[in-house]
Amino acid sequence: EKITFTFEDTNETVDFFVLEQTKLNGDTYRADNESDDAECLILKETESGNEQDNLYDIVEDDNELTAVSKVFEELLEDVDITL
């Protein structure tokens, strides 16, 4: 699945490919990458106040990132995630 992100500060758009999505402690997370390279972002869905658009923030908290990356490693069986 391909989704387009629009950055609020610049209105720049970037296409990302969804690798996996999961819920953890009631929050929705996505592992997305911009191309077929080995790097990806782990994003957390936040409240948008608009049912049509979702907002996502890059997970930066080390504890949260470690916990979510372990879940994605299990879901993406052939992928090792290095932080």
Side-chain angles (χ1 to χ4, degrees):
E1 173 185 1
K2 181 173 84 168
I3 58 174
T4 300
F5 284 94
T6 302
F7 297 95
E8 290 180 329
D9 55 344
T10 63
N11 278 339
E12 176 186 356
T13 60
V14 178
D15 290 332
F16 282 85
F17 297 90
V18 179
L19 301 174
E20 189 62 70
Q21 181 171 316
T22 191
K23 282 192 178 267
L24 184 63
N25 296 327
D27 293 314
T28 300
Y29 295 90
R30 298 178 86 136
D32 298 334
N33 71 348
E34 189 174 353
S35 64
D36 291 334
D37 63 16
E39 294 184 19
C40 77
L41 297 174
I42 295 180
L43 306 170
K44 180 178 182 178
E45 185 177 313
T46 59
E47 293 290 324
S48 68
N50 180 346
E51 291 182 21
Q52 293 179 331
D53 295 326
N54 292 328
L55 296 178
Y56 292 90
D57 291 322
I58 297 171
V59 176
E60 295 181 12
D61 178 79
D62 289 340
N63 293 329
E64 183 178 18
L65 187 58
T66 299
V68 174
S69 66
K70 288 179 183 180
V71 173
F72 281 126
E73 272 190 333
E74 290 180 23
L75 293 171
L76 300 165
E77 297 169 356
D78 59 342
V79 174
D80 290 322
I81 297 177
T82 304
L83 305 177

